[in-house]
Amino acid sequence: MLDLQRHTQCPIWENAAAKNLEKSADESRVSEQEETAEDLRGWPGLEYACLKIVETYCKIFNQEEIYDLIVRKTCQACKCPRTDHAIYNEQMTSVCERIGFKSDALLTSVSSVGTVDPKQMGYIWVPPGLSTSAKIQQYFNQLPSEKVPKLNTSGEKYRNKMLLYQLPKQDLALAYCKYVDKEHTGSYEDFITARNEIALDIGYVKEAPAKASCNNCTKNLQSNELAVYAPKLRDNMNFHPNCFTCSKCDELLVDLTYCVYEDKIYCERHYAEILKPRCSSCDELIFSGEYTKAMNKDWHSGHFCCWQCDESLTGQRYVLRDEHPYCIKCYENVFANNCEECSKTIGIDSKDLSYKDKHWHEACFLCNKCRVSLVDKQFGAKAEKIYCGNCYDTQFASRCDGCGEIFRAGTKKMEYKTRQWHEKCFCCNVCKTPIGTKSFIPREQEIYCAGCYEEKYATRCVKCKKIITSGGVTYKNDPWHRECFTCTNCETSLAGQRFTSRDDKPYCADCFGELFAKRCTACSKPITGIGGTRFISFEDRHWHNDCFICATCQTSLVGRGFITDEADIICPECAKQKLM
């Protein structure tokens, strides 16, 4: 048989055929399928081809049954829907042909307009009803740019995807259905006929009529705007181009194809789902009265299958994981953990006990030394092994730096650097209050709470004796609050100001001069010496440098000889003049 697992160029190829043979007890049918697949060996290169090549090959040699065996609605390797694979982006020449309409089936008001070749304008599709490039561009300007179906753009990909999603082939013709039984083909045909006559239609674009409003957003349509016209709606049939969307999925209706139900418009997919259940596996409508409901979805009776192995889950137990159903066997093989003790799988019927990244059966969760059960008991771990409290304490327990007792298994431990304490022992060295998760301050080998540390070690002002928390001043190695460092006499703040001291007490310049400084014989003001001021002394009299001048001619006598004249001092020249 063809070795399908060697096909690696397309992600959905791997192992697809083996998983998608229809499940049946009829062994002869399986043999026929195998024989048919064997016929594909006529072309050796097939086993290395991607699915697009396989599809083409099967069509040329009239072996489409084999293609159906290889490809299902959902990829069995990557588990993604068919619309996510380029292999399925095959289009008919037009939507009219896809849904079974003939080109002359459109309304006469549309067919009277000249036809436009979309590709000549750079589009994969243009709306019916418009014949000039200006109008077509005006229409597309009203759509989101990423949804405009220009050739070789994301808009083309969006249109193709919506074509597959909103107009699934299996809803349009019996030839594309694989799971409609012969007894239900009449119901299928009746459904198609009724839908095509009553609900399904293609809209077209025209200039908005006067005083019309959009059927979706209810806003008024301007007279120079373009509107989408939906003939099968009874009233208010006009829409803004970007408002012509499915009432269910809110996506733009592909190529203006819509269905009407209770005065609302839908894409064909969601219109069909209002009237018929849809199988979540094969994506076909269900016409049988018997089907399975599970996970809030509908399934053909044989299609509710394990996401991994495709075995039927109808009437079987299953496990839901990431919104996908798994049979018990596959779930345990893919997701179940192995027990650390016995190395066997921990099945869904067993309780899974875990610690860090390890798992145990409930019966295997035992002390590594004495083998006692640890379920609902305190335990300790060491070197990736678990122990009961007594065994752990005996072999590995460390001791508290506070009380010297061991830390028993499960006991909360407080650690700081290389030291450790019981929670109750981790307390302030002064007040003995447990610190817990509060802030603390270490000093040498002792621990203090913030309050006790400040009380015992914090810097205090030499004046008010209170703690200096910020902005202190140091004077003669003593700390002061800035607000406390004031003149001893007038209490003026000295922080950042010129000052001097007397008997180790600070004074501002003014107070120091008034209280202690010598006074100038000339001006009678204090001589403070602050700022480097120089002065001159003679006998018991003192002068500022600037004040030491001749009493007669006012010449500075600094560095010159002088003569005293009772209380005055005069220069030698003035003294001679006075004697003459």
mmCIF file of all heavy atoms in Angstrom, residues 139-167:
data_model
loop_
_atom_site.group_PDB
_atom_site.id
_atom_site.type_symbol
_atom_site.label_atom_id
_atom_site.label_comp_id
_atom_site.label_asym_id
_atom_site.label_seq_id
_atom_site.Cartn_x
_atom_site.Cartn_y
_atom_site.Cartn_z
ATOM 1 N N TYR A 139 -17.191 52.331 -4.742
ATOM 2 C CA TYR A 139 -17.730 51.248 -3.919
ATOM 3 C C TYR A 139 -16.652 50.667 -3.013
ATOM 4 O O TYR A 139 -16.841 50.530 -1.799
ATOM 5 C CB TYR A 139 -18.312 50.161 -4.809
ATOM 6 C CG TYR A 139 -18.685 48.900 -4.061
ATOM 7 C CD1 TYR A 139 -19.903 48.803 -3.385
ATOM 8 C CD2 TYR A 139 -17.818 47.814 -4.000
ATOM 9 C CE1 TYR A 139 -20.240 47.656 -2.686
ATOM 10 C CE2 TYR A 139 -18.144 46.661 -3.307
ATOM 11 C CZ TYR A 139 -19.360 46.587 -2.651
ATOM 12 O OH TYR A 139 -19.691 45.463 -1.946
ATOM 13 N N PHE A 140 -15.486 50.333 -3.569
ATOM 14 C CA PHE A 140 -14.434 49.704 -2.772
ATOM 15 C C PHE A 140 -13.845 50.648 -1.739
ATOM 16 O O PHE A 140 -13.311 50.202 -0.719
ATOM 17 C CB PHE A 140 -13.332 49.150 -3.678
ATOM 18 C CG PHE A 140 -13.712 47.864 -4.365
ATOM 19 C CD1 PHE A 140 -13.531 47.704 -5.737
ATOM 20 C CD2 PHE A 140 -14.254 46.815 -3.640
ATOM 21 C CE1 PHE A 140 -13.881 46.520 -6.368
ATOM 22 C CE2 PHE A 140 -14.613 45.628 -4.267
ATOM 23 C CZ PHE A 140 -14.433 45.475 -5.623
ATOM 24 N N ASN A 141 -13.918 51.958 -1.980
ATOM 25 C CA ASN A 141 -13.422 52.922 -0.990
ATOM 26 C C ASN A 141 -14.226 52.881 0.307
ATOM 27 O O ASN A 141 -13.762 53.359 1.343
ATOM 28 C CB ASN A 141 -13.444 54.337 -1.568
ATOM 29 C CG ASN A 141 -12.344 54.560 -2.588
ATOM 30 O OD1 ASN A 141 -11.357 53.817 -2.632
ATOM 31 N ND2 ASN A 141 -12.494 55.585 -3.413
ATOM 32 N N GLN A 142 -15.449 52.339 0.237
ATOM 33 C CA GLN A 142 -16.295 52.270 1.426
ATOM 34 C C GLN A 142 -16.064 50.978 2.221
ATOM 35 O O GLN A 142 -16.694 50.788 3.255
ATOM 36 C CB GLN A 142 -17.770 52.378 1.017
ATOM 37 C CG GLN A 142 -18.126 53.745 0.426
ATOM 38 C CD GLN A 142 -19.602 53.846 0.073
ATOM 39 O OE1 GLN A 142 -19.983 53.715 -1.080
ATOM 40 N NE2 GLN A 142 -20.439 54.061 1.066
ATOM 41 N N LEU A 143 -15.168 50.114 1.752
ATOM 42 C CA LEU A 143 -14.862 48.869 2.462
ATOM 43 C C LEU A 143 -13.528 49.003 3.195
ATOM 44 O O LEU A 143 -12.674 49.807 2.794
ATOM 45 C CB LEU A 143 -14.783 47.696 1.480
ATOM 46 C CG LEU A 143 -16.016 47.412 0.627
ATOM 47 C CD1 LEU A 143 -15.762 46.172 -0.232
ATOM 48 C CD2 LEU A 143 -17.259 47.224 1.491
ATOM 49 N N PRO A 144 -13.307 48.226 4.248
ATOM 50 C CA PRO A 144 -11.977 48.198 4.884
ATOM 51 C C PRO A 144 -10.918 47.794 3.862
ATOM 52 O O PRO A 144 -11.142 46.896 3.048
ATOM 53 C CB PRO A 144 -12.127 47.146 5.985
ATOM 54 C CG PRO A 144 -13.598 47.073 6.264
ATOM 55 C CD PRO A 144 -14.272 47.356 4.959
ATOM 56 N N SER A 145 -9.772 48.464 3.886
ATOM 57 C CA SER A 145 -8.753 48.249 2.854
ATOM 58 C C SER A 145 -8.289 46.799 2.808
ATOM 59 O O SER A 145 -7.994 46.279 1.721
ATOM 60 C CB SER A 145 -7.560 49.167 3.108
ATOM 61 O OG SER A 145 -6.997 48.916 4.394
ATOM 62 N N GLU A 146 -8.237 46.135 3.969
ATOM 63 C CA GLU A 146 -7.745 44.756 3.986
ATOM 64 C C GLU A 146 -8.773 43.766 3.439
ATOM 65 O O GLU A 146 -8.480 42.568 3.305
ATOM 66 C CB GLU A 146 -7.345 44.341 5.407
ATOM 67 C CG GLU A 146 -8.481 44.180 6.397
ATOM 68 C CD GLU A 146 -8.935 45.490 7.036
ATOM 69 O OE1 GLU A 146 -8.435 46.560 6.591
ATOM 70 O OE2 GLU A 146 -9.739 45.448 7.972
ATOM 71 N N LYS A 147 -9.988 44.234 3.115
ATOM 72 C CA LYS A 147 -11.021 43.356 2.587
ATOM 73 C C LYS A 147 -11.394 43.678 1.143
ATOM 74 O O LYS A 147 -12.315 43.084 0.596
ATOM 75 C CB LYS A 147 -12.267 43.423 3.473
ATOM 76 C CG LYS A 147 -12.018 42.908 4.895
ATOM 77 C CD LYS A 147 -13.256 42.940 5.755
ATOM 78 C CE LYS A 147 -12.970 42.391 7.148
ATOM 79 N NZ LYS A 147 -14.157 42.391 8.012
ATOM 80 N N VAL A 148 -10.658 44.593 0.526
ATOM 81 C CA VAL A 148 -10.894 44.921 -0.875
ATOM 82 C C VAL A 148 -10.219 43.840 -1.730
ATOM 83 O O VAL A 148 -9.016 43.613 -1.606
ATOM 84 C CB VAL A 148 -10.322 46.308 -1.221
ATOM 85 C CG1 VAL A 148 -10.459 46.589 -2.717
ATOM 86 C CG2 VAL A 148 -11.039 47.386 -0.409
ATOM 87 N N PRO A 149 -10.961 43.153 -2.609
ATOM 88 C CA PRO A 149 -10.420 41.975 -3.307
ATOM 89 C C PRO A 149 -9.501 42.312 -4.469
ATOM 90 O O PRO A 149 -9.735 41.895 -5.612
ATOM 91 C CB PRO A 149 -11.687 41.252 -3.780
ATOM 92 C CG PRO A 149 -12.683 42.342 -4.002
ATOM 93 C CD PRO A 149 -12.410 43.351 -2.918
ATOM 94 N N LYS A 150 -8.424 43.033 -4.197
ATOM 95 C CA LYS A 150 -7.441 43.293 -5.237
ATOM 96 C C LYS A 150 -6.621 42.038 -5.465
ATOM 97 O O LYS A 150 -6.353 41.270 -4.550
ATOM 98 C CB LYS A 150 -6.515 44.443 -4.813
ATOM 99 C CG LYS A 150 -7.143 45.812 -4.925
ATOM 100 C CD LYS A 150 -6.101 46.895 -4.646
ATOM 101 C CE LYS A 150 -6.711 48.279 -4.834
ATOM 102 N NZ LYS A 150 -5.697 49.339 -4.572
ATOM 103 N N LEU A 151 -6.194 41.848 -6.687
ATOM 104 C CA LEU A 151 -5.391 40.672 -7.020
ATOM 105 C C LEU A 151 -4.078 40.677 -6.252
ATOM 106 O O LEU A 151 -3.444 41.733 -6.093
ATOM 107 C CB LEU A 151 -5.114 40.640 -8.528
ATOM 108 C CG LEU A 151 -6.319 40.328 -9.436
ATOM 109 C CD1 LEU A 151 -5.954 40.576 -10.895
ATOM 110 C CD2 LEU A 151 -6.784 38.893 -9.231
ATOM 111 N N ASN A 152 -3.696 39.503 -5.757
ATOM 112 C CA ASN A 152 -2.408 39.299 -5.091
ATOM 113 C C ASN A 152 -2.247 40.154 -3.836
ATOM 114 O O ASN A 152 -1.174 40.669 -3.545
ATOM 115 C CB ASN A 152 -1.241 39.583 -6.059
ATOM 116 C CG ASN A 152 -1.302 38.720 -7.295
ATOM 117 O OD1 ASN A 152 -1.561 37.521 -7.226
ATOM 118 N ND2 ASN A 152 -1.065 39.333 -8.453
ATOM 119 N N THR A 153 -3.339 40.341 -3.092
ATOM 120 C CA THR A 153 -3.294 41.079 -1.831
ATOM 121 C C THR A 153 -3.991 40.259 -0.755
ATOM 122 O O THR A 153 -4.588 39.215 -1.027
ATOM 123 C CB THR A 153 -3.980 42.450 -1.947
ATOM 124 O OG1 THR A 153 -5.393 42.241 -2.168
ATOM 125 C CG2 THR A 153 -3.400 43.269 -3.089
ATOM 126 N N SER A 154 -3.922 40.766 0.461
ATOM 127 C CA SER A 154 -4.628 40.112 1.560
ATOM 128 C C SER A 154 -6.132 40.155 1.340
ATOM 129 O O SER A 154 -6.876 39.297 1.832
ATOM 130 C CB SER A 154 -4.281 40.794 2.887
ATOM 131 O OG SER A 154 -4.640 42.165 2.851
ATOM 132 N N GLY A 155 -6.613 41.147 0.586
ATOM 133 C CA GLY A 155 -8.036 41.220 0.273
ATOM 134 C C GLY A 155 -8.488 40.049 -0.583
ATOM 135 O O GLY A 155 -9.604 39.529 -0.412
ATOM 136 N N GLU A 156 -7.635 39.604 -1.514
ATOM 137 C CA GLU A 156 -7.967 38.436 -2.326
ATOM 138 C C GLU A 156 -8.038 37.191 -1.449
ATOM 139 O O GLU A 156 -8.951 36.373 -1.585
ATOM 140 C CB GLU A 156 -6.926 38.239 -3.430
ATOM 141 C CG GLU A 156 -7.202 37.001 -4.282
ATOM 142 C CD GLU A 156 -6.140 36.763 -5.338
ATOM 143 O OE1 GLU A 156 -5.201 37.592 -5.443
ATOM 144 O OE2 GLU A 156 -6.231 35.751 -6.049
ATOM 145 N N LYS A 157 -7.079 37.058 -0.523
ATOM 146 C CA LYS A 157 -7.088 35.902 0.379
ATOM 147 C C LYS A 157 -8.326 35.919 1.270
ATOM 148 O O LYS A 157 -8.932 34.881 1.539
ATOM 149 C CB LYS A 157 -5.824 35.900 1.227
ATOM 150 C CG LYS A 157 -4.558 35.680 0.427
ATOM 151 C CD LYS A 157 -3.325 35.721 1.326
ATOM 152 C CE LYS A 157 -2.055 35.520 0.505
ATOM 153 N NZ LYS A 157 -0.841 35.598 1.338
ATOM 154 N N TYR A 158 -8.706 37.104 1.730
ATOM 155 C CA TYR A 158 -9.897 37.221 2.569
ATOM 156 C C TYR A 158 -11.140 36.803 1.792
ATOM 157 O O TYR A 158 -11.983 36.049 2.288
ATOM 158 C CB TYR A 158 -10.046 38.657 3.068
ATOM 159 C CG TYR A 158 -11.359 38.921 3.764
ATOM 160 C CD1 TYR A 158 -11.559 38.531 5.087
ATOM 161 C CD2 TYR A 158 -12.417 39.555 3.098
ATOM 162 C CE1 TYR A 158 -12.765 38.757 5.729
ATOM 163 C CE2 TYR A 158 -13.625 39.784 3.731
ATOM 164 C CZ TYR A 158 -13.792 39.387 5.048
ATOM 165 O OH TYR A 158 -14.988 39.603 5.678
ATOM 166 N N ARG A 159 -11.246 37.261 0.549
ATOM 167 C CA ARG A 159 -12.408 36.911 -0.281
ATOM 168 C C ARG A 159 -12.472 35.406 -0.515
ATOM 169 O O ARG A 159 -13.526 34.778 -0.414
ATOM 170 C CB ARG A 159 -12.330 37.681 -1.589
ATOM 171 C CG ARG A 159 -13.550 37.500 -2.490
ATOM 172 C CD ARG A 159 -13.249 36.540 -3.623
ATOM 173 N NE ARG A 159 -14.378 36.398 -4.536
ATOM 174 C CZ ARG A 159 -14.377 35.599 -5.583
ATOM 175 N NH1 ARG A 159 -13.314 34.866 -5.863
ATOM 176 N NH2 ARG A 159 -15.440 35.521 -6.366
ATOM 177 N N ASN A 160 -11.314 34.788 -0.804
ATOM 178 C CA ASN A 160 -11.282 33.339 -1.027
ATOM 179 C C ASN A 160 -11.686 32.576 0.235
ATOM 180 O O ASN A 160 -12.417 31.588 0.176
ATOM 181 C CB ASN A 160 -9.888 32.907 -1.469
ATOM 182 C CG ASN A 160 -9.568 33.363 -2.879
ATOM 183 O OD1 ASN A 160 -10.472 33.728 -3.630
ATOM 184 N ND2 ASN A 160 -8.297 33.356 -3.237
ATOM 185 N N LYS A 161 -11.196 33.053 1.361
ATOM 186 C CA LYS A 161 -11.528 32.377 2.618
ATOM 187 C C LYS A 161 -13.008 32.490 2.925
ATOM 188 O O LYS A 161 -13.656 31.521 3.355
ATOM 189 C CB LYS A 161 -10.696 32.972 3.760
ATOM 190 C CG LYS A 161 -10.857 32.246 5.085
ATOM 191 C CD LYS A 161 -9.891 32.784 6.116
ATOM 192 C CE LYS A 161 -10.026 32.013 7.431
ATOM 193 N NZ LYS A 161 -9.071 32.481 8.450
ATOM 194 N N MET A 162 -13.578 33.673 2.728
ATOM 195 C CA MET A 162 -15.002 33.852 2.973
ATOM 196 C C MET A 162 -15.852 33.048 1.988
ATOM 197 O O MET A 162 -16.929 32.577 2.315
ATOM 198 C CB MET A 162 -15.365 35.345 2.875
ATOM 199 C CG MET A 162 -14.880 36.183 4.052
ATOM 200 S SD MET A 162 -15.588 35.648 5.642
ATOM 201 C CE MET A 162 -14.202 34.727 6.324
ATOM 202 N N LEU A 163 -15.342 32.895 0.749
ATOM 203 C CA LEU A 163 -16.063 32.101 -0.233
ATOM 204 C C LEU A 163 -16.206 30.662 0.247
ATOM 205 O O LEU A 163 -17.285 30.057 0.156
ATOM 206 C CB LEU A 163 -15.325 32.143 -1.571
ATOM 207 C CG LEU A 163 -16.064 31.626 -2.804
ATOM 208 C CD1 LEU A 163 -17.307 32.459 -3.076
ATOM 209 C CD2 LEU A 163 -15.149 31.642 -4.002
ATOM 210 N N LEU A 164 -15.128 30.125 0.796
ATOM 211 C CA LEU A 164 -15.172 28.755 1.313
ATOM 212 C C LEU A 164 -16.005 28.654 2.582
ATOM 213 O O LEU A 164 -16.709 27.672 2.806
ATOM 214 C CB LEU A 164 -13.749 28.270 1.597
ATOM 215 C CG LEU A 164 -12.851 28.119 0.375
ATOM 216 C CD1 LEU A 164 -11.418 27.909 0.802
ATOM 217 C CD2 LEU A 164 -13.319 26.963 -0.477
ATOM 218 N N TYR A 165 -15.904 29.697 3.430
ATOM 219 C CA TYR A 165 -16.585 29.647 4.716
ATOM 220 C C TYR A 165 -18.085 29.917 4.575
ATOM 221 O O TYR A 165 -18.917 29.180 5.115
ATOM 222 C CB TYR A 165 -15.956 30.676 5.659
ATOM 223 C CG TYR A 165 -16.601 30.725 7.024
ATOM 224 C CD1 TYR A 165 -16.413 29.695 7.945
ATOM 225 C CD2 TYR A 165 -17.400 31.804 7.396
ATOM 226 C CE1 TYR A 165 -16.999 29.732 9.191
ATOM 227 C CE2 TYR A 165 -17.991 31.853 8.640
ATOM 228 C CZ TYR A 165 -17.791 30.814 9.534
ATOM 229 O OH TYR A 165 -18.376 30.856 10.768
ATOM 230 N N GLN A 166 -18.449 30.968 3.856
ATOM 231 C CA GLN A 166 -19.847 31.361 3.770
ATOM 232 C C GLN A 166 -20.637 30.537 2.756
ATOM 233 O O GLN A 166 -21.861 30.414 2.875
ATOM 234 C CB GLN A 166 -19.946 32.851 3.408
ATOM 235 C CG GLN A 166 -19.398 33.784 4.476
ATOM 236 C CD GLN A 166 -19.650 35.240 4.143
ATOM 237 O OE1 GLN A 166 -20.285 35.578 3.137
ATOM 238 N NE2 GLN A 166 -19.149 36.129 4.991
ATOM 239 N N LEU A 167 -19.945 29.977 1.762
ATOM 240 C CA LEU A 167 -20.630 29.179 0.736
ATOM 241 C C LEU A 167 -19.984 27.801 0.639
ATOM 242 O O LEU A 167 -19.365 27.444 -0.374
ATOM 243 C CB LEU A 167 -20.558 29.883 -0.621
ATOM 244 C CG LEU A 167 -21.259 31.243 -0.726
ATOM 245 C CD1 LEU A 167 -20.942 31.896 -2.051
ATOM 246 C CD2 LEU A 167 -22.762 31.079 -0.552
#
